[in-house]
Amino acid sequence: MEKKLNGVFWCVGVLGLVTVVLTVHAITCEEAVQTLMPCKAYLTTPAPSPTLACCQAVASVNASASTTQSRRDLCECLKKKAPVYGVDPQKAKQLPGLCAVQVPFPCDPSVDCQ
């Protein structure tokens, strides 16, 4: 009986995973900004380095923008939102490298997102 139950739970788990994979969508601007909130202290104050939570957020947002269009949209979003939050452009440029995350566009307010 235990083997049957384990098999049932495994099948349910796999179906759940398939459902999650099928419902993944491109990250919205609002979702990206909310996800990156752990980076606010590093990006807006003299904090010397980003936190682990910040780096995890950077990796998460980067992974969520998986298509060319979603990366362009994210780039435009971050260019518009950074000044609103008082982001230091130099710290924004350094953030992906400090977090060991390779991003598809430079974190620079002068970048052409297209």
Side-chain angles (χ1 to χ4, degrees):
M1 181 69 169
E2 186 176 328
K3 286 184 180 181
K4 277 187 174 181
L5 285 178
N6 284 341
V8 169
F9 288 124
W10 184 84
C11 288
V12 170
V14 169
L15 290 174
L17 179 61
V18 168
T19 301
V20 169
V21 170
L22 293 176
T23 59
V24 170
H25 66 282
I27 192 166
T28 67
C29 183
E30 293 77 22
E31 290 169 335
V33 170
Q34 281 303 109
T35 301
L36 291 170
M37 277 298 153
C39 299
K40 187 176 180 188
Y42 170 72
L43 292 170
T44 62
T45 70
S49 60
T51 63
L52 176 60
C54 171
C55 289
Q56 290 171 335
V58 170
S60 175
V61 169
N62 187 52
S64 295
S66 58
T67 67
T68 300
Q69 188 59 51
S70 64
R71 288 189 289 269
R72 286 178 180 158
D73 294 345
L74 179 60
C75 175
E76 290 292 343
C77 166
L78 296 178
K79 278 179 64 170
K80 289 177 186 172
K81 295 290 184 175
V84 173
Y85 287 95
V87 170
D88 177 340
Q90 292 305 315
K91 285 189 156 192
K93 285 182 194 180
Q94 297 168 352
L95 186 59
L98 291 172
C99 290
V101 175
Q102 292 184 340
V103 295
F105 55 84
C107 296
D108 187 324
S110 65
V111 70
D112 178 3
C113 295
Q114 297 306 313

XYZ file of all heavy atoms in Angstrom:
837
model
N 0.820 -1.197 0.000
C 0.000 0.000 0.000
C 0.864 1.262 0.000
O 0.547 2.227 -0.683
C -0.930 -0.044 1.225
C -1.850 1.136 1.323
S -3.074 1.088 0.017
C -4.159 2.337 0.540
N 1.963 1.241 0.782
C 2.830 2.427 0.850
C 3.435 2.743 -0.511
O 3.542 3.906 -0.899
C 3.926 2.208 1.884
C 4.765 3.448 2.122
C 5.786 3.251 3.224
O 5.515 2.503 4.159
O 6.852 3.859 3.105
N 3.811 1.701 -1.263
C 4.384 1.932 -2.587
C 3.367 2.586 -3.519
O 3.706 3.446 -4.312
C 4.900 0.627 -3.186
C 6.177 0.143 -2.555
C 6.687 -1.096 -3.237
C 7.980 -1.539 -2.565
N 8.529 -2.705 -3.205
N 2.101 2.162 -3.425
C 1.057 2.762 -4.263
C 0.887 4.241 -3.926
O 0.770 5.074 -4.807
C -0.271 2.039 -4.064
C -0.410 0.799 -4.877
C -1.801 0.267 -4.747
C -2.000 -0.905 -5.686
N -3.351 -1.442 -5.611
N 0.871 4.567 -2.638
C 0.717 5.961 -2.231
C 1.896 6.799 -2.693
O 1.719 7.918 -3.163
C 0.554 6.067 -0.709
C -0.804 5.652 -0.165
C -0.803 5.750 1.352
C -1.914 6.494 -0.748
N 3.105 6.273 -2.569
C 4.280 7.010 -3.045
C 4.182 7.267 -4.537
O 4.525 8.342 -5.014
C 5.572 6.254 -2.724
C 5.956 6.367 -1.262
O 5.494 7.262 -0.564
N 6.787 5.449 -0.807
N 3.701 6.283 -5.284
C 3.531 6.451 -6.722
C 2.502 7.519 -7.047
O 2.682 8.328 -7.952
N 1.425 7.546 -6.292
C 0.385 8.543 -6.502
C 0.939 9.939 -6.217
O 0.750 10.875 -6.992
C -0.847 8.245 -5.607
C -1.814 9.419 -5.605
C -1.540 6.980 -6.069
N 1.651 10.099 -5.086
C 2.220 11.402 -4.755
C 3.240 11.833 -5.800
O 3.310 12.998 -6.160
C 2.868 11.382 -3.362
C 1.860 11.335 -2.242
C 1.897 10.339 -1.300
C 0.860 12.294 -2.156
C 0.975 10.300 -0.273
C -0.075 12.264 -1.140
C -0.017 11.253 -0.193
N 4.028 10.892 -6.318
C 5.017 11.225 -7.338
C 4.315 11.739 -8.589
O 4.698 12.746 -9.162
C 5.872 9.999 -7.657
C 6.954 10.312 -8.632
C 8.168 10.843 -8.369
C 6.906 10.130 -10.053
N 8.880 11.018 -9.526
C 8.124 10.579 -10.583
C 5.954 9.633 -10.928
C 8.412 10.544 -11.930
C 6.250 9.601 -12.274
C 7.465 10.052 -12.769
N 3.248 11.048 -9.022
C 2.510 11.470 -10.218
C 1.889 12.848 -10.019
O 1.938 13.694 -10.903
C 1.419 10.463 -10.561
S 2.052 8.922 -11.234
N 1.307 13.073 -8.848
C 0.719 14.377 -8.554
C 1.803 15.444 -8.576
O 1.616 16.533 -9.122
C -0.025 14.352 -7.196
C -0.423 15.748 -6.764
C -1.238 13.444 -7.285
N 2.972 15.137 -8.010
C 4.087 16.091 -8.004
C 4.540 16.431 -9.414
O 4.772 17.592 -9.744
N 4.657 15.426 -10.268
C 5.077 15.655 -11.648
C 4.034 16.487 -12.386
O 4.364 17.438 -13.086
C 5.332 14.317 -12.377
C 5.500 14.536 -13.869
C 6.560 13.639 -11.800
N 2.768 16.171 -12.203
C 1.711 16.952 -12.857
C 1.720 18.389 -12.364
O 1.528 19.321 -13.143
C 0.346 16.310 -12.612
C 0.099 14.990 -13.337
C -1.234 14.384 -12.905
C 0.137 15.177 -14.833
N 1.959 18.571 -11.074
C 2.054 19.924 -10.532
C 3.206 20.684 -11.147
O 3.081 21.857 -11.502
N 4.338 20.018 -11.303
C 5.507 20.645 -11.901
C 5.234 21.012 -13.353
O 5.557 22.105 -13.797
C 6.717 19.712 -11.806
C 8.019 20.223 -12.407
C 8.464 21.510 -11.708
C 9.101 19.171 -12.301
N 4.594 20.137 -14.093
C 4.255 20.414 -15.485
C 3.325 21.623 -15.557
O 3.504 22.505 -16.392
C 3.611 19.176 -16.152
C 2.996 19.530 -17.492
C 4.643 18.078 -16.309
N 2.372 21.696 -14.662
C 1.453 22.831 -14.638
C 2.205 24.122 -14.378
O 1.964 25.135 -15.031
C 0.379 22.621 -13.552
O -0.312 21.414 -13.840
C -0.596 23.769 -13.515
N 3.128 24.106 -13.431
C 3.916 25.304 -13.131
C 4.728 25.723 -14.342
O 4.762 26.887 -14.706
C 4.834 25.069 -11.911
C 5.831 26.198 -11.761
C 3.999 24.937 -10.649
N 5.368 24.772 -14.998
C 6.186 25.088 -16.169
C 5.325 25.673 -17.281
O 5.721 26.625 -17.943
C 6.941 23.829 -16.650
C 7.597 24.072 -17.992
C 7.980 23.410 -15.625
N 4.138 25.155 -17.472
C 3.271 25.639 -18.537
C 2.684 27.016 -18.242
O 2.311 27.735 -19.155
C 2.134 24.645 -18.785
C 2.559 23.306 -19.362
C 1.356 22.375 -19.468
C 3.225 23.471 -20.720
N 2.616 27.405 -16.965
C 2.007 28.684 -16.633
C 3.035 29.784 -16.369
O 2.662 30.877 -15.995
C 1.094 28.552 -15.398
O 1.871 28.087 -14.291
C -0.050 27.604 -15.653
N 4.294 29.513 -16.556
C 5.313 30.538 -16.355
C 5.111 31.647 -17.387
O 4.864 31.382 -18.557
C 6.727 29.930 -16.486
C 7.786 31.016 -16.536
C 6.998 28.990 -15.325
N 5.221 32.885 -16.946
C 5.041 34.019 -17.840
C 6.222 34.969 -17.683
O 6.989 34.870 -16.751
C 3.728 34.731 -17.522
C 3.735 35.375 -16.177
N 3.564 34.662 -15.014
C 3.912 36.667 -15.801
C 3.628 35.487 -13.984
N 3.840 36.699 -14.435
N 6.301 35.891 -18.604
C 7.351 36.903 -18.500
C 7.060 37.774 -17.285
O 5.916 38.053 -16.960
C 7.379 37.753 -19.771
N 8.099 38.201 -16.631
C 7.950 39.023 -15.436
C 7.482 40.426 -15.834
O 7.927 40.971 -16.844
C 9.280 39.063 -14.655
C 9.073 39.659 -13.272
C 10.373 39.776 -15.434
C 10.245 39.426 -12.338
N 6.570 40.970 -15.064
C 6.104 42.326 -15.330
C 7.054 43.313 -14.663
O 7.860 42.949 -13.800
C 4.688 42.554 -14.772
O 4.741 42.500 -13.347
C 3.695 41.547 -15.319
N 6.916 44.562 -15.035
C 7.741 45.611 -14.448
C 7.514 45.674 -12.935
O 8.465 45.715 -12.157
C 7.409 46.946 -15.105
S 8.415 48.322 -14.524
N 6.270 45.637 -12.527
C 5.947 45.721 -11.102
C 6.519 44.537 -10.332
O 7.026 44.689 -9.220
C 4.429 45.812 -10.898
C 3.821 47.108 -11.403
C 3.655 47.147 -12.927
O 3.601 46.079 -13.583
O 3.607 48.257 -13.477
N 6.415 43.338 -10.926
C 6.968 42.146 -10.272
C 8.485 42.257 -10.140
O 9.055 41.885 -9.106
C 6.615 40.884 -11.074
C 5.162 40.517 -11.023
C 4.787 39.439 -12.031
O 5.469 39.272 -13.066
O 3.781 38.765 -11.776
N 9.138 42.759 -11.173
C 10.597 42.905 -11.140
C 11.010 43.888 -10.049
O 11.928 43.610 -9.268
C 11.118 43.372 -12.496
N 10.328 45.016 -9.978
C 10.661 46.023 -8.962
C 10.449 45.447 -7.570
O 11.309 45.596 -6.690
C 9.835 47.315 -9.181
C 9.982 48.263 -8.003
C 10.268 47.994 -10.477
N 9.337 44.773 -7.343
C 9.079 44.172 -6.030
C 10.126 43.119 -5.688
O 10.606 43.062 -4.565
C 7.678 43.554 -5.996
C 6.584 44.564 -5.788
C 6.773 45.361 -4.519
O 7.099 46.541 -4.574
N 6.602 44.760 -3.379
N 10.475 42.299 -6.655
C 11.467 41.244 -6.425
C 12.819 41.840 -6.068
O 13.543 41.303 -5.234
C 11.583 40.338 -7.667
O 10.307 39.773 -7.942
C 12.597 39.227 -7.458
N 13.160 42.967 -6.684
C 14.471 43.591 -6.465
C 14.544 44.478 -5.216
O 15.602 45.045 -4.940
C 14.867 44.401 -7.699
C 15.190 43.564 -8.933
C 15.326 44.457 -10.161
C 16.446 42.739 -8.713
N 13.470 44.570 -4.454
C 13.485 45.414 -3.251
C 14.604 45.069 -2.264
O 15.132 45.960 -1.609
C 12.132 45.392 -2.545
C 11.138 46.351 -3.149
S 11.741 48.048 -3.007
C 10.937 48.804 -4.377
N 15.040 43.810 -2.139
C 16.161 43.540 -1.236
C 17.458 44.254 -1.660
O 18.399 44.352 -0.873
C 16.334 42.021 -1.304
C 14.994 41.509 -1.701
C 14.422 42.575 -2.628
N 17.502 44.767 -2.876
C 18.690 45.473 -3.379
C 18.639 46.974 -3.106
O 19.630 47.675 -3.325
C 18.852 45.245 -4.875
S 19.074 43.523 -5.332
N 17.510 47.462 -2.636
C 17.342 48.907 -2.476
C 18.422 49.513 -1.581
O 18.979 50.564 -1.915
C 15.953 49.225 -1.940
C 15.668 50.705 -1.922
C 14.254 51.013 -1.493
C 14.046 52.518 -1.492
N 12.775 52.883 -0.913
N 18.716 48.885 -0.466
C 19.722 49.446 0.446
C 21.082 49.570 -0.243
O 21.741 50.604 -0.125
C 19.844 48.590 1.703
N 21.485 48.551 -0.973
C 22.774 48.613 -1.673
C 22.752 49.688 -2.754
O 23.710 50.452 -2.907
C 23.146 47.265 -2.289
C 24.329 47.380 -3.210
C 25.608 47.587 -2.706
C 24.167 47.355 -4.595
C 26.696 47.747 -3.549
C 25.245 47.513 -5.445
C 26.512 47.701 -4.919
O 27.586 47.879 -5.764
N 21.669 49.764 -3.501
C 21.597 50.655 -4.659
C 21.376 52.129 -4.313
O 21.625 52.988 -5.146
C 20.489 50.186 -5.605
C 20.753 48.860 -6.310
C 19.491 48.383 -7.019
C 21.912 48.977 -7.287
N 20.918 52.408 -3.106
C 20.561 53.791 -2.772
C 21.311 54.372 -1.573
O 21.098 55.538 -1.246
C 19.044 53.899 -2.488
O 18.723 53.088 -1.359
C 18.220 53.483 -3.693
N 22.153 53.577 -0.936
C 22.881 54.058 0.243
C 24.360 53.719 0.087
O 24.747 53.016 -0.859
C 22.357 53.405 1.538
O 22.726 52.017 1.550
C 20.854 53.551 1.675
N 25.182 54.138 1.025
C 26.608 53.788 0.952
C 26.937 52.332 1.319
O 28.088 51.998 1.536
C 27.255 54.740 1.969
C 26.279 55.811 2.220
C 24.931 55.210 1.991
N 25.939 51.460 1.385
C 26.200 50.049 1.706
C 27.302 49.525 0.789
O 27.236 49.710 -0.430
C 24.932 49.221 1.547
N 28.317 48.859 1.341
C 29.475 48.455 0.546
C 29.246 47.283 -0.406
O 29.957 47.145 -1.400
C 30.515 48.076 1.600
C 29.712 47.690 2.798
C 28.462 48.534 2.760
N 28.253 46.441 -0.116
C 28.027 45.288 -0.993
C 26.573 44.838 -0.892
O 25.898 45.093 0.104
C 28.966 44.139 -0.618
O 28.738 43.741 0.720
N 26.091 44.153 -1.923
C 24.718 43.651 -1.880
C 24.604 42.452 -0.938
O 25.571 41.727 -0.711
C 24.460 43.235 -3.330
C 25.796 42.961 -3.908
C 26.756 43.858 -3.185
N 23.417 42.255 -0.413
C 23.152 41.114 0.457
C 22.909 39.861 -0.375
O 22.669 39.951 -1.593
C 21.907 41.371 1.325
O 20.775 41.508 0.449
C 22.072 42.617 2.195
N 22.906 38.722 0.285
C 22.588 37.468 -0.391
C 21.164 37.532 -0.954
O 20.916 37.107 -2.079
C 22.729 36.286 0.569
C 22.328 34.918 0.010
C 23.167 34.554 -1.208
C 22.456 33.855 1.091
N 20.232 38.099 -0.180
C 18.848 38.217 -0.654
C 18.776 39.069 -1.919
O 18.010 38.770 -2.837
C 17.969 38.821 0.442
N 19.583 40.109 -1.980
C 19.636 40.954 -3.179
C 20.135 40.146 -4.368
O 19.535 40.178 -5.443
C 20.532 42.165 -2.921
S 20.867 43.147 -4.399
N 21.215 39.439 -4.186
C 21.779 38.652 -5.296
C 20.811 37.571 -5.764
O 20.702 37.303 -6.963
C 23.120 38.063 -4.892
S 24.421 39.323 -4.767
N 20.098 36.966 -4.839
C 19.091 35.976 -5.219
C 17.976 36.639 -6.025
O 17.473 36.068 -6.985
C 18.531 35.286 -3.976
C 19.539 34.374 -3.323
C 19.090 33.853 -1.964
O 18.273 34.472 -1.280
N 19.642 32.719 -1.567
N 17.615 37.859 -5.652
C 16.586 38.599 -6.384
C 17.057 38.928 -7.795
O 16.295 38.796 -8.758
C 16.225 39.874 -5.626
N 18.317 39.348 -7.928
C 18.878 39.661 -9.248
C 18.844 38.415 -10.132
O 18.426 38.470 -11.291
C 20.315 40.208 -9.119
C 20.992 40.309 -10.489
C 20.315 41.563 -8.428
N 19.255 37.284 -9.585
C 19.253 36.036 -10.342
C 17.829 35.639 -10.734
O 17.588 35.202 -11.865
C 19.911 34.926 -9.537
N 16.885 35.828 -9.837
C 15.492 35.477 -10.105
C 14.902 36.333 -11.219
O 14.268 35.822 -12.146
C 14.673 35.638 -8.826
O 13.304 35.427 -9.079
N 15.102 37.634 -11.141
C 14.571 38.538 -12.168
C 15.240 38.240 -13.506
O 14.574 38.191 -14.546
C 14.760 40.011 -11.758
C 14.475 40.954 -12.916
C 13.864 40.339 -10.564
N 16.534 38.021 -13.488
C 17.249 37.708 -14.724
C 16.699 36.433 -15.363
O 16.476 36.385 -16.572
C 18.747 37.573 -14.444
C 19.552 37.425 -15.702
O 19.436 38.215 -16.628
N 20.391 36.405 -15.752
N 16.457 35.421 -14.567
C 15.933 34.152 -15.092
C 14.499 34.308 -15.604
O 14.100 33.613 -16.538
C 15.993 33.079 -14.011
N 13.739 35.219 -15.011
C 12.349 35.413 -15.410
C 12.210 36.128 -16.748
O 11.177 36.025 -17.394
C 11.603 36.212 -14.345
O 11.540 35.470 -13.151
N 13.215 36.849 -17.139
C 13.196 37.550 -18.430
C 13.925 36.678 -19.441
O 15.095 36.882 -19.736
C 13.855 38.918 -18.297
N 13.212 35.701 -19.978
C 13.864 34.680 -20.797
C 13.702 34.866 -22.300
O 14.311 34.138 -23.073
C 13.339 33.300 -20.394
O 11.938 33.258 -20.560
N 12.904 35.831 -22.715
C 12.746 36.075 -24.145
C 13.340 37.439 -24.490
O 13.521 38.287 -23.611
C 11.266 36.063 -24.560
O 10.611 37.189 -23.956
C 10.574 34.775 -24.149
N 13.600 37.649 -25.752
C 14.148 38.937 -26.184
C 13.217 40.074 -25.794
O 13.647 41.090 -25.252
C 14.389 38.936 -27.708
O 15.320 37.895 -28.016
C 14.933 40.268 -28.186
N 11.918 39.899 -26.043
C 10.964 40.964 -25.722
C 10.884 41.205 -24.218
O 10.828 42.348 -23.785
C 9.584 40.651 -26.290
C 8.614 41.818 -26.143
C 9.124 43.086 -26.853
O 9.488 43.040 -28.018
N 9.150 44.198 -26.142
N 10.878 40.144 -23.421
C 10.786 40.355 -21.971
C 12.045 41.039 -21.446
O 11.972 41.858 -20.523
C 10.517 39.042 -21.229
O 11.577 38.134 -21.366
N 13.211 40.760 -22.040
C 14.447 41.448 -21.631
C 14.400 42.922 -22.026
O 14.819 43.787 -21.266
C 15.663 40.748 -22.221
C 15.941 39.404 -21.555
C 17.252 38.813 -21.989
N 17.246 38.349 -23.360
C 16.924 37.123 -23.757
N 16.575 36.222 -22.870
N 16.958 36.794 -25.025
N 13.872 43.216 -23.204
C 13.729 44.621 -23.622
C 12.779 45.359 -22.679
O 13.056 46.483 -22.260
C 13.205 44.699 -25.052
C 14.232 44.354 -26.085
C 13.653 44.409 -27.476
N 14.677 44.076 -28.451
C 14.427 43.634 -29.673
N 13.183 43.480 -30.078
N 15.416 43.352 -30.488
N 11.666 44.717 -22.366
C 10.690 45.335 -21.468
C 11.302 45.564 -20.090
O 11.097 46.621 -19.489
C 9.442 44.461 -21.349
C 8.655 44.363 -22.648
O 8.887 45.186 -23.570
O 7.803 43.450 -22.747
N 12.044 44.588 -19.599
C 12.687 44.726 -18.289
C 13.715 45.851 -18.307
O 13.790 46.654 -17.380
C 13.346 43.410 -17.885
C 14.069 43.410 -16.542
C 13.114 43.743 -15.401
C 14.739 42.069 -16.311
N 14.471 45.937 -19.357
C 15.470 47.001 -19.509
C 14.790 48.366 -19.444
O 15.217 49.248 -18.687
C 16.211 46.813 -20.830
S 17.392 48.119 -21.235
N 13.724 48.544 -20.217
C 12.985 49.818 -20.211
C 12.416 50.111 -18.824
O 12.476 51.243 -18.343
C 11.855 49.799 -21.245
C 12.327 49.827 -22.677
C 12.988 51.132 -23.089
O 12.829 52.161 -22.403
O 13.687 51.120 -24.117
N 11.873 49.100 -18.205
C 11.302 49.243 -16.867
C 12.352 49.744 -15.878
O 12.128 50.723 -15.162
C 10.755 47.896 -16.391
S 10.387 47.805 -14.629
N 13.489 49.077 -15.850
C 14.527 49.438 -14.877
C 15.112 50.820 -15.163
O 15.451 51.548 -14.229
C 15.614 48.363 -14.842
C 15.123 46.988 -14.365
C 16.256 45.973 -14.415
C 14.501 47.055 -12.989
N 15.210 51.171 -16.437
C 15.685 52.521 -16.778
C 14.734 53.592 -16.235
O 15.168 54.634 -15.751
C 15.810 52.683 -18.305
C 17.083 52.140 -18.874
C 17.148 52.295 -20.375
C 17.167 53.739 -20.806
N 17.476 53.918 -22.235
N 13.430 53.320 -16.301
C 12.434 54.289 -15.845
C 12.326 54.313 -14.321
O 12.141 55.377 -13.729
C 11.066 53.969 -16.453
C 10.991 54.253 -17.930
C 9.644 53.855 -18.486
C 9.638 54.017 -19.996
N 8.428 53.467 -20.595
N 12.402 53.157 -13.695
C 12.167 53.070 -12.253
C 13.397 53.462 -11.425
O 13.247 53.940 -10.300
C 11.739 51.659 -11.871
C 10.411 51.242 -12.454
C 9.269 51.987 -11.832
C 7.943 51.491 -12.361
N 6.813 52.112 -11.694
N 14.594 53.251 -11.941
C 15.807 53.524 -11.161
C 15.857 54.949 -10.620
O 16.103 55.144 -9.420
C 17.051 53.196 -11.983
N 15.604 55.980 -11.441
C 15.648 57.342 -10.900
C 14.564 57.608 -9.844
O 14.787 58.352 -8.900
C 15.432 58.235 -12.123
C 15.700 57.379 -13.306
C 15.411 55.979 -12.890
N 13.409 56.974 -10.009
C 12.315 57.147 -9.056
C 12.728 56.682 -7.661
O 12.375 57.290 -6.657
C 11.054 56.370 -9.531
C 9.965 56.382 -8.480
C 10.549 56.928 -10.845
N 13.508 55.606 -7.608
C 13.951 55.045 -6.330
C 15.300 55.600 -5.874
O 15.813 55.205 -4.832
C 14.014 53.515 -6.417
C 12.641 52.896 -6.436
C 12.011 52.583 -7.631
C 11.962 52.651 -5.248
C 10.742 52.026 -7.643
C 10.692 52.090 -5.255
C 10.093 51.784 -6.452
O 8.824 51.234 -6.461
N 15.897 56.486 -6.655
C 17.174 57.078 -6.266
C 18.357 56.132 -6.403
O 19.319 56.202 -5.643
N 18.305 55.257 -7.402
C 19.368 54.270 -7.620
C 20.635 54.961 -8.114
O 20.593 55.779 -9.036
C 18.909 53.191 -8.621
C 20.061 52.296 -9.046
C 17.780 52.373 -8.025
N 21.749 54.624 -7.509
C 23.065 55.107 -7.937
C 23.454 54.326 -9.199
O 23.644 53.106 -9.129
C 24.072 54.875 -6.816
C 25.494 55.284 -7.170
O 25.831 55.410 -8.363
O 26.290 55.459 -6.223
N 23.583 54.991 -10.353
C 23.895 54.279 -11.601
C 25.183 53.461 -11.539
O 25.258 52.385 -12.133
C 24.011 55.396 -12.641
C 23.271 56.544 -12.072
C 23.403 56.430 -10.578
N 26.181 53.939 -10.829
C 27.437 53.184 -10.728
C 27.235 51.878 -9.966
O 27.779 50.843 -10.338
C 28.526 54.034 -10.063
C 28.985 55.206 -10.902
C 29.450 54.779 -12.283
O 30.181 53.805 -12.447
N 29.002 55.500 -13.292
N 26.456 51.936 -8.911
C 26.174 50.712 -8.150
C 25.325 49.747 -8.972
O 25.502 48.535 -8.892
C 25.500 51.051 -6.830
C 26.463 51.612 -5.807
C 25.785 51.728 -4.469
C 26.839 51.695 -3.388
N 26.253 51.513 -2.068
N 24.391 50.287 -9.765
C 23.569 49.433 -10.618
C 24.436 48.690 -11.634
O 24.219 47.508 -11.899
C 22.506 50.268 -11.327
N 25.426 49.379 -12.185
C 26.339 48.737 -13.141
C 27.129 47.609 -12.492
O 27.391 46.577 -13.104
C 27.338 49.758 -13.695
C 26.778 50.709 -14.704
C 27.887 51.632 -15.193
C 27.358 52.810 -15.947
N 28.430 53.703 -16.413
N 27.502 47.791 -11.241
C 28.331 46.808 -10.526
C 27.535 45.616 -10.005
O 28.092 44.534 -9.785
C 29.032 47.474 -9.349
C 29.995 48.556 -9.736
C 30.447 49.380 -8.533
O 29.936 49.245 -7.430
N 31.407 50.265 -8.769
N 26.252 45.802 -9.799
C 25.442 44.786 -9.122
C 25.498 43.395 -9.757
O 25.768 42.423 -9.046
C 23.995 45.274 -9.000
C 23.058 44.383 -8.196
C 23.554 44.200 -6.768
C 21.658 44.975 -8.197
N 25.276 43.241 -11.060
C 25.326 41.876 -11.612
C 26.678 41.189 -11.379
O 26.714 40.014 -11.013
C 25.058 42.082 -13.101
C 24.319 43.371 -13.174
C 24.901 44.220 -12.077
N 27.763 41.914 -11.559
C 29.082 41.326 -11.343
C 29.311 40.927 -9.897
O 29.858 39.857 -9.610
N 28.889 41.781 -8.976
C 29.036 41.466 -7.554
C 28.208 40.255 -7.156
O 28.563 39.529 -6.235
C 28.637 42.672 -6.698
C 29.565 43.874 -6.772
C 28.960 45.065 -6.042
C 30.939 43.539 -6.196
N 27.106 40.045 -7.867
C 26.233 38.903 -7.585
C 26.546 37.690 -8.462
O 25.872 36.668 -8.362
C 24.772 39.309 -7.768
S 24.179 40.456 -6.505
N 27.539 37.816 -9.328
C 27.928 36.731 -10.250
C 26.747 36.283 -11.110
O 26.509 35.096 -11.314
C 28.535 35.561 -9.481
N 26.000 37.276 -11.621
C 24.868 37.001 -12.501
C 25.159 37.667 -13.838
O 25.416 38.869 -13.895
C 23.550 37.557 -11.910
C 22.393 37.364 -12.888
C 23.241 36.905 -10.575
N 25.135 36.884 -14.910
C 25.353 37.440 -16.243
C 24.019 37.916 -16.794
O 23.104 37.127 -16.985
C 25.967 36.401 -17.170
C 27.377 36.044 -16.789
C 27.991 35.078 -17.781
O 27.311 34.395 -18.530
N 29.306 35.026 -17.773
N 23.927 39.226 -17.005
C 22.692 39.800 -17.531
C 22.859 40.115 -19.013
O 23.973 40.392 -19.463
C 22.274 41.058 -16.736
C 21.929 40.702 -15.299
C 23.337 42.118 -16.775
N 21.752 40.073 -19.783
C 21.848 40.258 -21.232
C 22.023 41.705 -21.689
O 22.218 41.947 -22.855
C 20.535 39.678 -21.747
C 19.597 39.811 -20.602
C 20.431 39.686 -19.361
N 21.956 42.654 -20.770
C 22.165 44.053 -21.136
C 22.867 44.747 -19.974
O 22.710 44.345 -18.827
C 20.844 44.756 -21.474
C 19.799 44.664 -20.399
C 19.786 45.553 -19.334
C 18.823 43.686 -20.439
C 18.829 45.477 -18.344
C 17.855 43.586 -19.448
C 17.865 44.496 -18.398
N 23.655 45.770 -20.268
C 24.331 46.471 -19.178
C 23.337 47.261 -18.327
O 22.361 47.800 -18.852
C 25.304 47.420 -19.889
C 24.849 47.484 -21.292
C 23.996 46.298 -21.565
N 23.560 47.282 -17.045
C 22.708 48.058 -16.132
C 23.213 49.489 -16.137
O 23.970 49.915 -15.264
C 22.752 47.464 -14.733
S 22.078 45.814 -14.672
N 22.822 50.216 -17.157
C 23.310 51.553 -17.374
C 22.154 52.396 -17.911
O 21.463 51.989 -18.837
C 24.446 51.506 -18.422
C 25.144 52.811 -18.624
O 24.487 53.869 -18.570
O 26.360 52.783 -18.854
N 21.921 53.584 -17.318
C 20.791 54.396 -17.767
C 20.895 54.864 -19.216
O 19.896 55.248 -19.827
C 20.772 55.585 -16.811
C 22.048 55.543 -16.066
C 22.634 54.189 -16.213
N 22.072 54.801 -19.810
C 22.227 55.260 -21.189
C 22.103 54.119 -22.212
O 22.204 54.361 -23.406
C 23.588 55.950 -21.362
O 24.625 55.007 -21.163
N 21.868 52.903 -21.752
C 21.798 51.761 -22.674
C 20.546 51.869 -23.557
O 19.499 52.330 -23.132
C 21.809 50.428 -21.896
C 20.519 50.205 -21.129
C 22.048 49.253 -22.829
N 20.689 51.446 -24.809
C 19.574 51.363 -25.742
C 18.957 49.972 -25.552
O 19.584 48.963 -25.884
C 20.054 51.548 -27.182
C 18.932 51.409 -28.197
O 17.757 51.225 -27.801
O 19.240 51.519 -29.398
N 17.765 49.909 -25.039
C 17.137 48.622 -24.717
C 16.709 47.830 -25.941
O 16.359 46.662 -25.835
C 15.944 48.855 -23.807
S 16.379 49.518 -22.191
N 16.732 48.444 -27.096
C 16.319 47.712 -28.299
C 17.461 46.880 -28.827
O 17.315 45.945 -29.514
C 15.822 48.684 -29.362
C 14.591 49.446 -28.921
C 13.450 48.563 -28.444
O 13.091 47.592 -29.087
N 12.880 48.894 -27.313
